[in-house]
């Protein structure tokens, strides 16, 4: 079987590579010439554990190709996946110009039956727009070539993308023909040998499932962050509350960790887009609006803790910051809480010296020299008045107290992920702030 994957970012590149791993021939397409040139030269444009080796292996085996030409990728392809970005428009709705643009190109170049699968996260009704766009281009060409559209949202997590793709909890496919269903069934068979299901459904339900999943996860996070704020006010410890509720199997213990707010390329934009879809349909998703408000507030919580500690006088203070990416194991900084904290600290007159194991280059690209970049975690803390942990990379988990004691000017730690032990911090002479628990006296 041969397929084309259009868009070679986090989703497209992982999708294409994992399909190639099953033995089929995959051509990954992108309009970004540099990205494609890099990929052809074995340079992987994103940080995703395990991806380098897998790309190399499949290229060497002659199963994985890269091109900027969608036309070329369609030759003999039975399926084309659309995996381009769907960034938020000004009003919060998903901007579909890249998706429909690809659909038009498919209509322009296809010369035999093909299934056009939308893998990008798109609002309900998009697959119909894709169908219309393909059809319009075929009509312009005065040809009648049968095709199907399908929806196949992606649930992978950056940082664990390969594992998620190879061993998915479930695969969701929205289809409207038996032919499309059987082609997708064949394509995904190697990934469900673990017994997890392929859920075939109508296209609208499939499109909505993706948003509902992300909205539910964002809701869990904001709920816990809200409870954490209450814990601090009433003198409770959110870690105990989390364990107490998480051991109830109806609730579960995943995604209920309080922190510095959710970020990344998906939750913020998908929550916004779902609110917009709902508003457009005359229904106000009140819960999700609150989820967004709580998250906006939470992204400032670490700043407020610092500001309070220094009695509103952050001017001239040196702040060490550990972690720039929105979560560990990725270099993605889209909507990262670190960006909000940095902005507020700079606004207050502080200087920031940051370290991240992989996202420094990305940070440089995004915010340039607004912060100083340290060569390692402890280099960031030299003469610091406080250390803020924003992203819980493994290498930050165990603190070298003697080193930190020697390097920092002031012994203050603000832990945005609750990874340190308050008692231990105290014993080592640090004033320690975390989320959802009052600092020890
Ligand atoms: P990305 O920005 O990393 O990649 C998108 C790629 O598409 C870019 O390389 C861009 O150059 C390319 N592109 C744009 N227009 C093109 C065109 N006309 N032809 C060819 N290539 C084109 O985005 P991503 O993070 O991979 O996300 C893609 C979609 O998947 C989004 O809808 C996103 O919401 C969804 N999604 C993302 C994740 C995630 O963790 N990143 C997870 C699940 C779903």
């Amino acid at each position: 079987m041969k397929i084309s994957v259009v868009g070679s970012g986090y989703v497209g590149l992982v999708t294409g590579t994992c399909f190639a791993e099953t033995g089929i021939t995959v051509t990954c397409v992108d309009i970004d010439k540099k990205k494609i040139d890099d990929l052809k030269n074995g340079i992987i444009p994103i940080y995703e554990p395990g991806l380098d080796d897998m790309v190399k292996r499949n290229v060497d085996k002659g199963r994985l190709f890269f091109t900027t030409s969608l036309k070329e990728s369609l030759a003999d392809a039975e399926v084309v996946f659309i995996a381009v970005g769907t960034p938020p428009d000004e009003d919060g709705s998903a901007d579909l110009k890249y998706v429909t643009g690809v659909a038009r190109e498919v209509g322009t170049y296809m010369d035999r039956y093909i299934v056009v699968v939308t893998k990008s996260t798109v609002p309900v009704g998009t697959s119909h727009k894709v169908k219309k766009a393909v059809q319009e281009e075929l009509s312009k060409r005065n040809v009648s070539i049968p095709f199907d559209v399908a929806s196949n949202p992606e649930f992978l997590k950056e940082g664990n993308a390969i594992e998620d793709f190879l061993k998915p909890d479930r695969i969701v496919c929205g289809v409207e023909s038996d032919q499309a269903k059987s082609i997708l069934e064949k394509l995904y068979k190697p990934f469900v040998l673990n017994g997890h299901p392929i859920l075939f459904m109508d296209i609208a339900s499939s499109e909505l499932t993706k948003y509902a999943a992300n909205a539910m996860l964002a809701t869990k996070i904001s709920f816990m962050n809200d409870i954490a704020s209450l814990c601090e006010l009433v003198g409770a410890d959110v870690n105990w509350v989390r364990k107490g509720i998480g051991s109830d199997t109806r609730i579960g213990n995943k995604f209920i960790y309080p922190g510095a707010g959710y970020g990344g390329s998906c939750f913020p934009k998908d929550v916004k887009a779902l609110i917009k879809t709902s508003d457009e349909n005359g229904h106000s998703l009140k819960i999700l609006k609150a989820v967004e408000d709580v998250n906006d507030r939470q992204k400032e919580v670490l700043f407020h803790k610092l500001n309070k500690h220094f009695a509103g006088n952050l001017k001239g203070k040196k702040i060490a910051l550990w972690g720039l990416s929105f979560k560990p194991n990725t270099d993605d900084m889209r909507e990262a809480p670190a960006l909000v904290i940095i902005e507020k600290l700079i606004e207050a007159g502080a200087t920031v010296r940051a370290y991240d194991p992989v996202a420094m280059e990305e940070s440089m690209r995004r915010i340039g020299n607004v912060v100083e970049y340290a060569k390692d975690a402890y280099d960031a803390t030299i003469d610091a008045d406080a250390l803020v942990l924003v992203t819980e990379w493994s290498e930050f988990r165990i603190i070298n107290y003697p080193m930190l004691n020697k390097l920092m000017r002031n012994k203050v730690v603000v832990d945005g992920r609750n990874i340190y032990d308050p008692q231990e911090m105290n014993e080592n002479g640090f004033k320690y702030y975390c989320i959802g628990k009052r600092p020890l006296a």
Side-chain angles (χ1 to χ4, degrees):
M1 195 191 240
K2 201 177 157 232
I3 66 166
S4 158
V5 179
V6 187
S8 306
Y10 285 89
V11 168
L13 187 57
V14 170
T15 299
T17 309
C18 289
F19 274 128
E21 186 76 2
T22 67
I24 65 168
T25 304
V26 181
T27 306
C28 288
V29 186
D30 208 286
I31 40 166
D32 184 336
K33 188 172 176 311
K34 180 173 183 311
K35 198 175 264 190
I36 292 299
D37 285 346
D38 281 352
L39 282 163
K40 282 181 175 168
N41 290 319
I43 301 165
I44 310 299
I46 52 169
Y47 175 82
E48 186 59 50
L51 189 57
D52 292 50
D53 286 349
M54 203 187 256
V55 168
K56 189 173 179 316
R57 185 166 59 242
N58 284 287
V59 168
D60 288 350
K61 296 258 181 198
R63 295 191 295 244
L64 183 58
F65 300 90
F66 302 104
T67 179
T68 51
S69 163
L70 187 141
K71 181 181 179 192
E72 189 184 302
S73 80
L74 290 185
D76 300 329
E78 282 183 63
V79 181
V80 54
F81 283 93
I82 303 179
V84 294
T86 45
D89 223 335
E90 271 164 28
D91 62 1
S93 60
D95 184 346
L96 296 176
K97 66 172 178 279
Y98 304 107
V99 171
T100 51
V102 172
R104 288 202 172 278
E105 256 195 281
V106 171
T108 307
Y109 297 120
M110 61 186 272
D111 57 6
R112 59 199 282 263
Y113 172 84
I114 198 163
V115 189
V116 185
V117 183
T118 306
K119 192 167 253 317
S120 302
T121 302
V122 293
V124 176
T126 303
S127 295
H128 290 295
K129 289 184 181 156
V130 166
K131 192 177 188 173
K132 194 162 162 265
V134 175
Q135 191 53 61
E136 277 171 9
E137 294 308 312
L138 290 175
S139 303
K140 277 188 206 162
R141 288 166 59 197
N142 254 326
V143 293
S144 165
I145 306 170
F147 68 96
D148 274 309
V149 292
S151 153
N152 170 222
E154 182 49 55
F155 298 96
L156 62 77
K157 298 182 288 296
E158 284 175 25
N160 200 48
I162 298 215
E163 178 83 1
D164 288 346
F165 198 95
L166 295 178
K167 297 180 195 155
D169 292 337
R170 79 317 204 175
I171 291 158
V172 170
C173 290
V175 288
E176 50 186 21
S177 88
D178 287 342
Q179 192 173 359
K181 181 174 179 233
S182 81
I183 289 174
L184 287 173
E185 224 160 16
K186 191 165 127 201
L187 197 55
Y188 273 117
K189 198 165 167 227
F191 302 96
V192 289
L193 299 173
N194 58 6
H196 290 170
I198 306 182
L199 302 169
F200 284 102
M201 57 183 79
D202 62 277
I203 287 180
S205 303
S206 165
E207 289 171 335
L208 191 56
T209 297
K210 173 64 193 179
Y211 282 103
N214 275 358
M216 173 60 99
L217 294 171
T219 302
K220 287 180 94 172
I221 294 173
S222 273
F223 175 79
M224 252 355 248
N225 282 333
D226 224 7
I227 291 291
S229 299
L230 181 61
C231 284
E232 289 180 27
L233 293 170
V234 299
D237 179 344
V238 75
N239 295 312
W240 282 118
V241 176
R242 173 178 59 75
K243 287 177 192 156
I245 65 169
S247 43
D248 182 330
T249 51
R250 293 171 304 175
I251 297 172
N253 56 17
K254 297 207 174 116
F255 262 82
I256 55 171
Y257 286 76
Y262 62 75
S265 66
C266 294
F267 288 1
K269 89 170 165 56
D270 294 349
V271 165
K272 265 195 179 42
L274 188 53
I275 289 173
K276 182 74 184 153
T277 299
S278 198
D279 283 346
E280 280 168 2
N281 283 278
H283 176 73
S284 174
L285 273 177
K286 291 183 181 166
I287 290 180
L288 276 196
K289 288 177 182 167
V291 165
E292 231 189 358
D293 286 349
V294 169
N295 196 55
D296 289 344
R297 190 177 66 192
Q298 195 68 18
K299 281 183 166 178
E300 298 187 352
V301 155
L302 302 186
F303 168 78
H304 290 307
K305 284 180 191 288
L306 274 174
N307 201 36
K308 194 168 168 201
H309 176 86
F310 290 108
N313 185 13
L314 280 163
K315 202 166 165 40
K317 296 285 183 298
K318 287 186 170 184
I319 310 298
L321 190 138
W322 282 0
L324 291 160
S325 56
F326 84 94
K327 66 174 183 181
N329 296 325
T330 179
D331 59 352
D332 199 340
M333 284 185 67
R334 288 177 278 189
E335 306 274 344
L339 293 171
V340 174
I341 297 158
I342 288 169
E343 191 185 328
K344 295 210 65 86
L345 284 170
I346 303 293
E347 216 175 76
T351 56
V352 178
R353 192 165 163 82
Y355 174 72
D356 186 287
V358 304
M360 310 262 268
E361 215 174 290
E362 176 62 9
S363 178
M364 185 61 111
R365 200 182 63 78
R366 278 179 178 270
I367 58 172
N369 286 319
V370 166
V371 298
E372 291 169 26
Y373 296 97
K375 65 176 191 299
D376 60 42
Y378 289 92
D379 181 43
T381 67
I382 293 173
D383 285 338
D385 290 293
L387 163 65
V388 192
L389 174 109
V390 187
T391 318
E392 69 280 30
W393 285 92
S394 299
E395 69 173 77
F396 301 147
R397 283 182 185 268
I398 295 179
I399 292 240
N400 180 339
Y401 286 107
M403 177 100 94
L404 214 53
N405 259 317
K406 204 169 85 191
L407 294 176
M408 289 182 72
R409 186 156 65 193
N410 246 308
K411 295 193 196 173
V412 180
V413 172
V414 179
D415 175 0
R417 303 289 170 180
N418 288 1
I419 63 170
Y420 301 124
D421 178 0
Q423 197 67 42
E424 197 181 283
M425 277 277 171
N426 226 29
E427 283 162 12
N428 282 280
F430 284 85
K431 184 74 187 171
Y432 174 71
Y433 299 91
C434 59
I435 307 280
K437 183 182 163 81
R438 285 181 188 166
L440 297 176

